[in-house]
């Protein structure tokens, strides 16, 4: 490569691309708008799948580092009815293919694996422009610029780089999540800790639900899903944490108190997370010198695949570049065609999964259960 690959975005996909390129001796520079690796928290638990995310980590030579930070027992899952009745309880027997790791820990593994100075922090992109013959200019908020012969947009849902390839913009799905946390739950909120169990807990009803994960040190990380238009959420003052939590909790009136405590007893202010998606099958015609990966290419509502696909995209793109060092266009073409196929299939499956999670008949339908044959127990 005559010049480093220019990567916009230091998320998991962009960092994986940089790492696998480094493994193959190809330089890359990552530009990130955040001012440092610790500028904000990096989200909660991720289940890393043995058919994509773990394959990327193997290509990166980081699978052992990953395994060393997996939280044991967190592949357990349970499904509860709104009254707290346990509908299904699936313990972690150690044979699952989706071990859980904190996103921040996984990101740090990738950051630590790169040469010093690979990530340029505090470089928020304000614009991108094609210069012709596969060359592109990236402009940052401070007015500085960089010109590159290979630009990769790993810059997420609201990608600036995507405008070089596609007119598509994310659309609201009709549902939002509200993020909350309970700390030291076993001591301070034992009933809720018991309800959540050792891994993931799903309490679902048509159009809404609670999804909580047990993280490290008894932290319960919860997402409250509510199907309402964005103007409905705009009426809630999220700067008033108590009032916002109370308003969201009203949507779960009559639910078991150990479940609604995930909203009303949050140790952090509730954070609104509107859910957006790009069209299923989003693709573009080949444009020399630029491509996308992860959410920038195929944003979907959360379905457990996003981080995995982003890392796999990064790994596959790096492998393609390494396989065609004298023909970057052939590399990108091969990468994009494969990426379009897998992301379309994943998006379609994720959309169907959301219907099962929040549609009529949930959670029985998604569990393949008949309501007359269910075996349940009340959380004590």
């Amino acid at each position: 490569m005559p010049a480093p690959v220019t990567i916009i975005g230091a998320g998991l996909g962009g960092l994986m691309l940089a790492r696998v390129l480094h493994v193959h001796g190809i330089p890359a520079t990552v530009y990130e708008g955040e001012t440092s690796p610790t500028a904000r928290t990096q989200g909660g638990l991720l289940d890393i799948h043995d058919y994509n995310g773990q394959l990327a980590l193997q290509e990166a030579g980081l699978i052992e580092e990953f395994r060393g930070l997996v939280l044991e027992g967190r592949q357990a899952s349970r499904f509860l009815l709104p009254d707290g009745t346990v509908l299904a309880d699936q313990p972690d027997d150690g044979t699952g293919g989706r071990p859980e790791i904190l996103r921040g820990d996984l990101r740090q593994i990738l950051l630590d694996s790169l040469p010093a100075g690979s990530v340029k922090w505090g470089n928020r992109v304000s614009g991108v422009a094609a210069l012709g013959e596969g060359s592109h200019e990236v402009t940052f908020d401070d007015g500085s610029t960089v010109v590159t012969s290979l630009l990769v947009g790993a810059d997420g849902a609201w990608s600036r780089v995507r405008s070089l390839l596609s007119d598509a913009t994310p659309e609201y799905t009709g549902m939002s999540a509200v993020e909350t946390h309970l700390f030291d739950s076993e001591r301070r909120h034992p009933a809720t800790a018991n309800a959540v169990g050792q891994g993931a807990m799903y309490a679902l009803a048509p159009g809404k639900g609670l999804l909580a994960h047990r993280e490290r040190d008894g932290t319960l990380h919860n997402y409250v899903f509510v199907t309402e238009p964005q103007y409905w959420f705009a009426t809630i003052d999220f700067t008033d944490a108590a009032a916002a939590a109370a308003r969201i909790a009203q949507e779960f009136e009559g639910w078991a108190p150990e479940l609604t405590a995930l909203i009303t007893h949050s140790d952090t202010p509730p954070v609104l997370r509107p859910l957006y998606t790009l069209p299923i099958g989003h693709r573009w015609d080949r444009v020399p010198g630029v491509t996308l990966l992860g959410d920038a290419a195929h944003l979907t509502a959360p379905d457990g695949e996003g981080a995995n696909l982003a890392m796999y995209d990064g790994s596959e793109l790096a492998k393609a570049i390494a396989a065609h060092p004298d023909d970057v266009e052939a590399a990108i073409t091969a990468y994009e065609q494969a990426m379009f196929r897998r992301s379309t299939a994943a998006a379609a499956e994720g959309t169907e999964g959301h219907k099962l999670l929040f549609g009529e008949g949930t959670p029985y339908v998604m569990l393949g259960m008949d309501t007359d044959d269910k075996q349940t127990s009340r959380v004590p």
Side-chain angles (χ1 to χ4, degrees), residues 81-101:
L81 297 178
D83 67 358
T85 299
V86 179
L87 187 60
D89 194 353
Q90 302 162 344
D92 182 357
D93 63 3
T95 64
R98 300 184 174 198
E100 303 271 357
I101 186 172

Side-chain angles (χ1 to χ4, degrees), residues 13-14 17 152-156 291-298 310 313-314 317 335 339:
L17 171 59
V152 181
D155 47 344
T291 191
L292 305 172
L293 62 77
D295 283 351
H298 44 73
D313 285 352
L317 177 55
Y335 156 75
M339 181 268 290

Side-chain angles (χ1 to χ4, degrees), residues 135-159:
S135 183
H136 293 86
E137 182 180 66
V138 181
T139 302
F140 302 101
D141 279 355
D142 64 1
S144 63
T145 62
V146 62
V147 174
T148 179
S149 58
L150 180 49
L151 175 63
V152 181
D155 47 344
W158 305 102
S159 170

Side-chain angles (χ1 to χ4, degrees), residues 75-230:
Q75 292 186 76
S77 63
R78 51 173 36 190
F79 290 81
L80 273 60
L81 297 178
D83 67 358
T85 299
V86 179
L87 187 60
D89 194 353
Q90 302 162 344
D92 182 357
D93 63 3
T95 64
R98 300 184 174 198
E100 303 271 357
I101 186 172
L102 288 168
R103 180 185 288 268
D105 288 350
L106 182 55
R107 189 194 196 203
Q108 194 60 52
I109 290 172
L110 288 163
L111 285 169
D112 290 344
S113 74
L114 296 175
S118 295
V119 180
K120 307 298 184 184
W121 301 98
N123 284 274
R124 188 171 302 280
V125 175
S126 60
V128 291
L131 301 179
E133 299 183 351
S135 183
H136 293 86
E137 182 180 66
V138 181
T139 302
F140 302 101
D141 279 355
D142 64 1
S144 63
T145 62
V146 62
V147 174
T148 179
S149 58
L150 180 49
L151 175 63
V152 181
D155 47 344
W158 305 102
S159 170
R160 294 279 192 173
V161 179
R162 186 167 56 231
S163 64
L164 296 169
L165 296 164
S166 168
D167 293 331
T169 57
E171 295 184 356
Y172 181 57
T173 64
M175 172 177 277
S176 291
V178 177
E179 186 179 12
T180 63
H181 296 80
L182 269 63
F183 300 138
D184 193 15
S185 62
E186 292 182 355
R187 183 180 67 85
R188 299 175 59 236
H189 309 285
T192 302
N194 184 53
V196 171
Q198 295 304 306
M201 184 280 294
Y202 304 80
L204 305 170
K208 60 187 174 183
L210 304 173
L211 170 54
H213 286 98
R214 180 183 292 269
E215 296 182 351
R216 189 179 287 138
D217 300 325
T219 293
L220 303 181
H221 191 166
N222 180 56
Y223 290 92
V224 186
F225 291 91
V226 178
T227 302
E228 290 289 354
Q230 288 183 285

Side-chain angles (χ1 to χ4, degrees), residues 312-323:
Y312 193 72
D313 285 352
S315 173
E316 291 297 290
L317 177 55
K319 288 165 57 181
I321 294 170

